[in-house]
Amino acid sequence: MKEKKILITGASIAGPTLAYWLNHYGFEVTLVERAPGLRLGGQNIDVKGPAQHVSHKMGIEEIIRSKNTTETGLRFVNVENKTIAEFPKESALSMTQELEILRGDLVQILYDLTKDSVEYRFDEHITALTQTNEGVDVAFSSGEAERFDLVVSAEGIGSHTRKLVFENEAKFNYLGLYTAYLTVAKSDTDSDWARWCNTKGGIVFLIRPDNYGSARASITFTAEEDEYKGLSLEQQKAALIKRIKGCGWESERLIKEIDQTKDLYFDRVSQVNLPRWSEGRVAIVGDAAYCATPIAGKGTDLSMAGAYILAGELFCAKTYQDGFAAYERKMRPYVQSCQKLPPGIPKLVYPQSKIGVKILNSVVSLIASRPVKWLMGLFGGEKKAVKEEIYLADYGNEFAAELKNW
Ligand SMILES: Cc1cc2nc3c(=O)[nH]c(=O)nc-3n(C[C@H](O)[C@H](O)[C@H](O)COP(=O)(O)OP(=O)(O)OC[C@H]3O[C@@H](n4cnc5c(N)ncnc54)[C@H](O)[C@@H]3O)c2cc1C
């Protein structure tokens, strides 16, 4: 492929992973990030399945392991903070994984790995782009203009470049929830276990340990799609406080934290469905193209696998059109399987009434009980199973073998 100069937008997980692999295959990569620096906020994410496989290939698996959040498993607690069910990390039902890392730590690792070989530009974003037979003419917010052979947006769910190129083609499948993440000071009630608490009003509180002496909280609750849209940070804080006030458990602790935090991420929980992932010389990767939401627990898998496959296919293809088409052909079935949520999820997990919460807690407690664990063990379902979710070709070697036979 003769097109070698590539612009990527978005320095989170998909963007730097793509930059690493494109650079590895000999492309010249520039990466622009809208924020003035890396955005290091967020809770634990897990590096498993395809994400672990890609990390291993990048030589960062052990660095990720060394940044483990120390979480030993998941406890469901009631509003009195009494444990009603416990799933250690070895259990198939625990969300705690072998490689559990703070999102910000992974972003930093990916940046450190690529910063010397990739040109990073912060505080910069695309304001306009024009495609021609020769390339993509890009105008930036700084006033600079430059021509690239190809552009890839890795800008996350609210991608602006996606809007510029695909207009209104992206459809959002709103799951009926809003979620907030924030870092909180550690309290006596925190331990190495993640604690999950359902309260009345369709709210789930989750507090997880981190490796920095603090803790990471998320608050997820049912709401109408536009209920909290377009709010300023101060308005978001006020709305959150109003929503959780009087709910019990550790809501008073979290209200104090929300009041003073500068590190709040608050957004709707929506999946992204885009009927195609490229238009001419512009492609799209990660949450911007196929966000599955934190409910699916597949954000890191999808963004790292997608970036790996896109880079590999561009490297092997004779034309960029072929490369983009192969990327989509290989990734789309995996995206569809990740976006499929089990029946009743997420609705069943967010009961509104006290009695609904009680029923849910009884069900969770039953699932964690010895007889059920024993039964699951009989069918091989109690331990985490390792299965290949998507085939990740060894592009460099396979391409070399192909050339040899040519
Ligand atoms: C601050 C933050 C906190 C998060 N916390 C969690 C969490 O706790 N748990 C969880 O499961 N998921 C979290 N996520 C989402 C998670 O990172 C993604 O689901 C997943 O990893 C896919 O990553 P991505 O690289 O495709 O997109 P994202 O991680 O969403 O990153 C997109 C990047 O693009 C940048 N960007 C946006 N618009 C532009 C533009 N026009 N030009 C240039 N750059 C742009 C953003 O600043 C961001 O750095 C968080 C995302 C962010 C941004």
Side-chain angles (χ1 to χ4, degrees):
M1 216 179 83
K2 64 181 189 313
E3 291 81 5
K4 290 285 178 216
K5 188 178 169 188
I6 303 194
L7 172 68
I8 302 170
T9 55
S12 174
I13 293 172
T17 305
L18 178 65
Y20 171 86
W21 286 106
L22 286 174
N23 185 262
H24 180 79
Y25 297 134
F27 291 88
E28 181 197 331
V29 185
T30 303
L31 204 161
V32 302
E33 162 61 46
R34 186 177 198 136
L38 292 175
R39 296 178 68 189
L40 300 176
Q43 269 204 333
N44 310 27
I45 51 171
D46 22 78
V47 180
K48 56 181 181 348
Q52 187 167 358
H53 196 159
V54 173
S55 305
H56 179 76
K57 284 174 183 280
M58 293 168 84
I60 54 172
E61 190 181 359
E62 291 315 310
I63 307 176
I64 292 173
R65 198 180 300 281
S66 73
K67 293 274 180 184
N68 200 287
T69 60
T70 69
E71 189 171 292
T72 45
L74 171 66
R75 276 185 182 143
F76 283 82
V77 297
N78 63 16
V79 283
E80 280 87 40
N81 201 37
K82 187 167 169 270
T83 301
I84 49 173
E86 194 171 275
F87 301 99
K89 74 174 175 190
E90 299 74 35
S91 160
L93 296 172
S94 177
M95 64 184 183
T96 311
Q97 301 291 332
E98 180 200 347
L99 292 188
E100 194 78 35
I101 185 170
L102 291 178
R103 174 192 167 276
D105 281 348
L106 181 58
V107 171
Q108 186 70 54
I109 291 169
L110 292 168
Y111 172 72
D112 290 345
L113 183 71
T114 49
K115 67 179 192 300
D116 295 332
S117 50
V118 168
E119 187 192 339
Y120 275 84
R121 297 181 199 164
F122 288 95
D123 216 355
E124 182 77 293
H125 64 272
I126 296 176
T127 52
L129 41 77
T130 313
Q131 301 199 45
T132 68
N133 286 339
E134 282 73 46
V136 192
D137 292 324
V138 178
F140 289 107
S141 51
S142 60
E144 300 288 319
E146 195 170 336
R147 174 171 291 176
F148 294 88
D149 292 325
L150 304 173
V151 174
V152 183
S153 163
E155 295 171 6
I157 187 163
S159 173
H160 177 64
T161 303
R162 183 186 59 214
K163 274 184 218 125
L164 286 177
V165 178
F166 299 91
E167 295 177 352
N168 294 324
E169 282 184 48
K171 297 284 172 262
F172 296 90
N173 176 20
Y174 177 60
L175 299 187
L177 302 169
Y178 270 74
T179 195
Y181 300 114
L182 69 157
T183 305
V184 298
K186 208 166 174 175
S187 95
D188 293 347
T189 48
D190 296 329
S191 69
D192 288 347
W193 289 80
R195 286 178 302 141
W196 171 303
C197 183
N198 276 83
T199 71
K200 65 174 184 182
I203 302 176
V204 170
F205 294 104
L206 179 62
I207 298 184
R208 310 180 74 170
D210 71 17
N211 41 327
Y212 290 95
S214 41
R216 307 286 163 140
S218 73
I219 305 163
T220 307
F221 50 84
T222 52
E224 293 302 318
E225 187 166 1
D226 291 338
E227 214 169 323
Y228 302 101
K229 202 177 151 194
L231 303 185
S232 67
L233 177 65
E234 288 313 312
Q235 288 169 328
Q236 289 179 344
K237 287 180 173 194
L240 260 174
I241 290 173
K242 189 169 170 214
R243 181 68 196 246
I244 67 173
K245 199 156 186 57
C247 284
W249 195 55
E250 302 201 357
S251 56
E252 285 308 310
R253 168 190 176 193
L254 293 174
I255 285 173
K256 283 192 198 124
E257 293 283 356
I258 293 165
D259 200 34
Q260 59 194 24
T261 192
K262 291 190 181 75
D263 163 44
L264 183 72
Y265 174 91
F266 182 51
D267 209 349
R268 280 174 290 188
V269 178
S270 298
Q271 295 185 335
V272 175
N273 297 304
L274 194 61
R276 58 203 176 111
W277 298 338
S278 64
E279 159 62 44
R281 292 171 178 268
V282 182
I284 189 156
V285 69
D287 268 15
Y290 32 74
C291 176
T293 77
I295 308 283
K298 296 283 184 188
T300 318
D301 289 335
L302 286 167
S303 54
M304 292 188 85
Y308 177 82
I309 291 175
L310 175 55
E313 294 300 334
L314 284 175
F315 170 57
C316 295
K318 291 203 171 66
T319 65
Y320 66 84
Q321 291 94 332
D322 288 349
F324 286 162
Y327 154 62
E328 183 157 346
R329 206 169 49 244
K330 294 189 177 169
M331 266 304 280
R332 202 170 270 283
Y334 182 52
V335 168
Q336 280 165 348
S337 74
C338 292
Q339 288 190 334
K340 206 179 278 165
L341 296 175
I345 300 292
K347 260 208 160 127
L348 280 178
V349 184
Y350 295 83
Q352 300 293 324
S353 64
K354 267 189 177 176
I355 185 82
V357 170
K358 260 199 161 147
I359 294 169
L360 179 74
N361 285 350
S362 308
V363 173
V364 174
S365 160
L366 179 71
I367 293 170
S369 66
R370 271 199 197 177
V372 173
K373 278 187 175 163
W374 178 78
L375 256 180
M376 282 179 70
L378 277 187
F379 294 100
E382 222 266 296
K383 287 257 159 62
K384 280 195 169 101
V386 181
K387 57 175 192 286
E388 193 174 38
E389 295 174 22
I390 180 168
Y391 175 65
L392 297 171
D394 204 351
Y395 287 103
N397 288 341
E398 286 184 10
F399 186 56
E402 226 173 74
L403 277 183
K404 233 174 157 183
N405 299 332
W406 204 40

